[in-house]
Amino acid sequence: MMIAVDAVGGDHYPENPVAGAVLATGENPDIQILLVGPEDVVSEELLKHSYDSSRIHLLHAPQIIGMDESPSSAVKTKQSSSIAVGLAAHKQGKCSAFVSAGNTGALLAASTFILGKLEGVIRPTIVAPYPTIKGISLLIDAGANLEPKPEMILQFAKMGEIFCREIMGIENPTVGQLNVGEEAEKGTDLQKNSHKLLSQMKGYLGNIEGKDILFGKTDIYITDGFTGNVVLKFGESIPDALQQMLSLTMKSEAVQEEMQRQIYSILEKSLKTFNYEHVGGVPFLGVDGTSLVGHGGSSPVAIKNMIFSAAQCVEHKVNSKIISSLNN
Amino acid sequence: MMIAVDAVGGDHYPENPVAGAVLATGENPDIQILLVGPEDVVSEELLKHSYDSSRIHLLHAPQIIGMDESPSSAVKTKQSSSIAVGLAAHKQGKCSAFVSAGNTGALLAASTFILGKLEGVIRPTIVAPYPTIKGISLLIDAGANLEPKPEMILQFAKMGEIFCREIMGIENPTVGQLNVGEEAEKGTDLQKNSHKLLSQMKGYLGNIEGKDILFGKTDIYITDGFTGNVVLKFGESIPDALQQMLSLTMKSEAVQEEMQRQIYSILEKSLKTFNYEHVGGVPFLGVDGTSLVGHGGSSPVAIKNMIFSAAQCVEHKVNSKIISSLNN
């Protein structure tokens, strides 16, 4: 299976995407890679590796979309970017999927525009893996749709359910809606009406609250993209904030260096679910194709895992399962 | 100054409210207390203390509003509750303020209904003290107004600014609006239009993101009540979640008991800002009176501090400063 990889996406390009692609072909003989990016940059980076040249190919795309560029203008003006060229190749059937650790907003916009939407989908959504004390849950919508309608919320939950089952291996995923209280009449019209629609799902646990997030109360946290984005970025900040808090305390308490090392080591192990490496990437659910986005800081291992997740999405026919779930 | 205290509010009544009232009169000779609640319950509890009986008085209120009761029905049906009777006494001028660690929703509804709104206030708001690595910030709105208008957001910020300056002693408080990005065009119409209005405030830093919350980027975090409630409860859950994560790691790593004790002690000290005791309580800003609510788990020291905060609100003329800030 051929997977296109954005060679110039993320905070550490071309090093990490190229290294991740080499890792993936080394581990899985069925994978071929199409590295998309400026030819000179990518081929120079490839020189650092030994790899099977019959399985790693190059697709020239001279432009690079920066991590902080405005998605809409980047997609409009940079039609020769790695993102646009890679997605177009996927649309034309030259590869089975496209993966990138680049600008999430630009990736969503370009995926929706170039690949189109799946039959019956109102709006594609961004899914984020969310660390809890039980492992990884999914947060949907993580920022794509700031003001969704209840019908969209139901679709997000159904699409997330399929991703959880097929790719994360959770047989019967549970769904909870973020709200200001557990009762059915809590929240705005959006939460009240979404609650009614979500209640038709077997795995729906009902409304959950902010205090439930870190405890992994459900496999899927459903919310609007505004709240989702705030909660996502808040969660990502916890390890750093905590480290700074502990460091201040240990300084003021004059804790011995050896003890400090041990405490940091325990903290790091405790927060290992906050390390997104083993998740790799998540697809834009609802687009007519397989387009995954990874964390900007993705390591080579994270990129490799994103490539494998993309292959799994294709093999497990996630999209046709979404179509039949939404249209029946 | 006479302050009314809800003797049957919070998770630990009548013990903690009564003990807090006794502490307050012991520390400040200018304070008198009106304990509001069922006469038999309160007078029996008072027997456990030695106190100046000329300065602690009793106001009979036979009904108790539970922590989980629906605010609107509780306020309608329990007109002899400690909350209703205490606020009515305040309205009639029998005391200068009312404080409670009880049901926040019921307290807001009763305060708004019984005391009324200050001149020019569109809607009163719930303020929550928010722990950060720099100390305590304020989160407004913490759940009273799920779908505010931009004009309300501006009023919340102005009222919060006065509370910060007068009661928290921050000379020039800064204000940030929670949003999905820092740019002016980010967010929904609410954030875009609120951003424009907030820009007229000297202390406004602009939009901030979820990742900034724990780092104490501003003194006041302004947001709608839905997001505020989710973020508030999320933050409150951090110490417990963290303790559980560390405990699991230490178990699997077979960390020695003495070492575990030291780690927990450092963790506890690091998270001391998450202990609301020294804040005590916060007022419902915008009501025509002084009505403060404290954490349900308030200790006697927290109740005492809430009583002192109430006295400060009165002495510093917070309400007349709000009126002149909003009407000029």
Side-chain angles (χ1 to χ4, degrees), chain B residues 302-322:
Chain B
I303 300 276
K304 176 199 76 180
N305 285 332
M306 175 157 60
I307 294 167
F308 290 163
S309 291
Q312 261 189 301
C313 286
V314 178
E315 282 160 6
H316 287 240
K317 299 185 169 53
V318 163
N319 281 350
S320 55
K321 284 169 184 162
I322 286 176

Side-chain angles (χ1 to χ4, degrees), chain A residues 147 180 187-189 191 226-227, chain B residues 122-126 140-157 159 177-178 188-195 197-198 221-229:
Chain A
E147 294 178 288
V180 297
T188 68
D189 284 347
Q191 284 83 35
F226 185 86
T227 312
Chain B
I122 309 169
R123 290 277 290 274
T125 184
I126 298 180
I140 314 175
D141 176 290
N145 302 285
L146 302 186
E147 294 178 287
K149 303 271 175 248
E151 295 71 25
M152 289 158 64
I153 290 281
L154 177 63
Q155 290 198 340
F156 297 165
M159 294 193 288
Q177 172 175 242
L178 260 185
T188 68
D189 283 348
L190 173 63
Q191 285 84 34
K192 286 180 223 173
N193 293 326
S194 298
H195 176 76
L197 291 180
L198 289 165
Y221 296 100
I222 284 287
T223 188
D224 64 273
F226 185 87
T227 312
N229 182 280

Side-chain angles (χ1 to χ4, degrees), chain A residues 287-301:
Chain A
V287 299
D288 187 11
T290 302
S291 172
L292 276 76
V293 61
H295 201 270
S298 287
S299 65
V301 170

Side-chain angles (χ1 to χ4, degrees), chain A residues 2-24:
Chain A
M2 179 79 79
I3 310 279
V5 175
D6 182 356
V8 288
D11 302 326
H12 312 289
Y13 71 78
E15 298 82 357
N16 291 4
V18 170
V22 171
L23 276 178

Side-chain angles (χ1 to χ4, degrees), chain B residues 147-214:
Chain B
E147 294 178 287
K149 303 271 175 248
E151 295 71 25
M152 289 158 64
I153 290 281
L154 177 63
Q155 290 198 340
F156 297 165
K158 286 182 170 181
M159 294 193 288
E161 194 180 38
I162 289 165
F163 180 73
C164 255
R165 186 176 298 131
E166 300 296 329
I167 309 302
M168 298 176 77
I170 301 167
E171 189 75 36
N172 295 304
T174 55
V175 176
Q177 172 175 242
L178 260 185
N179 204 340
V180 297
E182 293 187 353
E183 302 83 353
E185 70 277 10
K186 289 282 182 178
T188 68
D189 283 348
L190 173 63
Q191 285 84 34
K192 286 180 223 173
N193 293 326
S194 298
H195 176 76
K196 277 183 210 152
L197 291 180
L198 289 165
S199 296
Q200 69 185 246
M201 290 180 72
K202 233 175 68 185
Y204 184 55
L205 300 182
N207 290 320
I208 55 158
E209 298 180 60
K211 66 178 196 287
D212 303 316
I213 300 175
L214 283 175

Side-chain angles (χ1 to χ4, degrees), chain A residues 130 132-133 146-147 178-181 187-189 191 209-211 213-215 223-227 229-231 233-235 237-238 240-242 244-246 248-250 253 255 259 262-263 266-267 269-271 273-274, chain B residues 130 132-133 146-147 178-181 187-189 191 209-211 213-215 223-227 229-231 233-235 237-238 240-242 244-246 248-250 253 255 259 262-263 266-267 269-271 273-274:
Chain A
Y130 209 87
T132 77
I133 65 174
L146 302 186
E147 294 178 288
L178 260 185
N179 204 339
V180 297
T188 68
D189 284 347
Q191 284 83 35
E209 299 180 60
K211 67 178 195 286
I213 300 175
L214 282 175
F215 291 94
T223 187
D224 64 273
F226 185 86
T227 312
N229 182 281
V230 170
V231 165
K233 290 176 179 165
F234 188 0
S237 77
I238 291 178
D240 265 3
L242 211 62
Q244 288 192 30
M245 282 181 188
L246 287 177
L248 285 170
T249 305
M250 293 196 287
E253 301 275 312
V255 172
M259 176 80 178
Q262 287 192 51
I263 290 177
I266 287 167
L267 184 69
K269 282 173 187 147
S270 300
L271 297 173
T273 51
F274 283 79
Chain B
Y130 208 86
T132 77
I133 66 173
L146 302 186
E147 294 178 287
L178 260 185
N179 204 340
V180 297
T188 68
D189 283 348
Q191 285 84 34
E209 298 180 60
K211 66 178 196 287
I213 300 175
L214 283 175
F215 291 94
T223 188
D224 64 273
F226 185 87
T227 312
N229 182 280
V230 170
V231 164
K233 289 176 180 165
F234 189 0
S237 77
I238 291 178
D240 266 2
L242 211 62
Q244 288 193 32
M245 282 180 187
L246 287 177
L248 286 170
T249 305
M250 292 195 287
E253 302 274 312
V255 172
M259 176 80 176
Q262 287 192 51
I263 290 177
I266 287 167
L267 185 69
K269 282 173 186 148
S270 301
L271 297 173
T273 51
F274 283 78

Side-chain angles (χ1 to χ4, degrees), chain A residues 120-177:
Chain A
V121 166
I122 310 169
R123 290 277 291 274
T125 183
I126 298 180
V127 178
Y130 209 87
T132 77
I133 65 174
K134 289 195 189 154
I136 297 287
S137 290
L138 289 185
L139 180 73
I140 315 176
D141 179 288
N145 303 284
L146 302 186
E147 294 178 288
K149 303 271 174 246
E151 295 72 25
M152 290 158 63
I153 290 280
L154 176 64
Q155 290 197 340
F156 298 165
K158 286 182 169 181
M159 295 193 287
E161 194 181 36
I162 289 166
F163 179 74
C164 256
R165 186 176 298 131
E166 300 296 330
I167 310 302
M168 298 176 76
I170 302 166
E171 188 75 36
N172 295 305
T174 54
V175 176
Q177 173 175 241

Side-chain angles (χ1 to χ4, degrees), chain B residues 5-326:
Chain B
V5 175
D6 182 355
V8 289
D11 301 326
H12 312 288
Y13 70 79
E15 297 84 358
N16 290 5
V18 170
V22 171
L23 275 179
T25 52
E27 280 186 29
N28 184 339
D30 298 331
I31 296 279
Q32 297 206 46
I33 299 289
L34 194 59
L35 279 171
V36 191
E39 201 159 6
D40 49 342
V41 174
V42 183
S43 48
E44 200 185 316
E45 185 62 25
L46 271 170
L47 290 176
K48 299 180 191 164
H49 297 271
S50 69
Y51 62 96
D52 179 351
S53 63
S54 72
R55 289 170 50 221
I56 296 192
H57 315 275
L58 222 150
L59 179 61
H60 180 57
Q63 291 177 312
I64 299 173
I65 293 180
M67 292 301 272
D68 295 322
E69 269 186 72
S70 150
S72 53
S73 80
V75 170
K76 265 182 225 145
T77 60
K78 294 191 170 171
Q79 295 182 1
S80 304
S81 67
S82 56
I83 291 175
V85 171
L87 284 166
H90 176 30
K91 183 71 181 172
Q92 292 153 19
K94 291 181 186 155
C95 51
S96 304
F98 176 73
V99 307
S100 173
N103 183 320
T104 304
L107 280 161
L108 174 67
S111 298
T112 307
F113 181 70
I114 296 171
L115 303 175
K117 293 183 293 183
L118 286 174
E119 185 195 336
V121 166
I122 309 169
R123 290 277 290 274
T125 184
I126 298 180
V127 179
Y130 208 86
T132 77
I133 66 173
K134 288 196 190 153
I136 298 286
S137 290
L138 289 185
L139 180 74
I140 314 175
D141 176 290
N145 302 285
L146 302 186
E147 294 178 287
K149 303 271 175 248
E151 295 71 25
M152 289 158 64
I153 290 281
L154 177 63
Q155 290 198 340
F156 297 165
K158 286 182 170 181
M159 294 193 288
E161 194 180 38
I162 289 165
F163 180 73
C164 255
R165 186 176 298 131
E166 300 296 329
I167 309 302
M168 298 176 77
I170 301 167
E171 189 75 36
N172 295 304
T174 55
V175 176
Q177 172 175 242
L178 260 185
N179 204 340
V180 297
E182 293 187 353
E183 302 83 353
E185 70 277 10
K186 289 282 182 178
T188 68
D189 283 348
L190 173 63
Q191 285 84 34
K192 286 180 223 173
N193 293 326
S194 298
H195 176 76
K196 277 183 210 152
L197 291 180
L198 289 165
S199 296
Q200 69 185 246
M201 290 180 72
K202 233 175 68 185
Y204 184 55
L205 300 182
N207 290 320
I208 55 158
E209 298 180 60
K211 66 178 196 287
D212 303 316
I213 300 175
L214 283 175
F215 291 94
K217 197 164 178 177
T218 81
D219 298 312
I220 299 171
Y221 296 100
I222 284 287
T223 188
D224 64 273
F226 185 87
T227 312
N229 182 280
V230 170
V231 164
L232 175 68
K233 289 176 180 165
F234 189 0
E236 287 185 346
S237 77
I238 291 178
D240 266 2
L242 211 62
Q243 181 133 1
Q244 288 193 32
M245 282 180 187
L246 287 177
S247 150
L248 286 170
T249 305
M250 292 195 287
K251 202 176 270 177
S252 77
E253 302 274 312
V255 172
Q256 285 183 331
E257 265 191 41
E258 174 52 28
M259 176 80 176
Q260 290 199 22
R261 257 195 297 277
Q262 287 192 51
I263 290 177
Y264 283 131
S265 146
I266 287 167
L267 185 69
E268 204 184 319
K269 282 173 186 148
S270 301
L271 297 173
K272 64 177 184 295
T273 51
F274 283 78
N275 176 346
Y276 295 87
E277 198 159 82
H278 56 293
V279 175
V282 284
F284 296 112
L285 293 173
V287 299
D288 187 12
T290 302
S291 171
L292 277 76
V293 61
H295 200 271
S298 287
S299 66
V301 170
I303 300 276
K304 176 199 76 180
N305 285 332
M306 175 157 60
I307 294 167
F308 290 163
S309 291
Q312 261 189 301
C313 286
V314 178
E315 282 160 6
H316 287 240
K317 299 185 169 53
V318 163
N319 281 350
S320 55
K321 284 169 184 162
I322 286 176
I323 292 172
S324 72
S325 166
L326 299 191

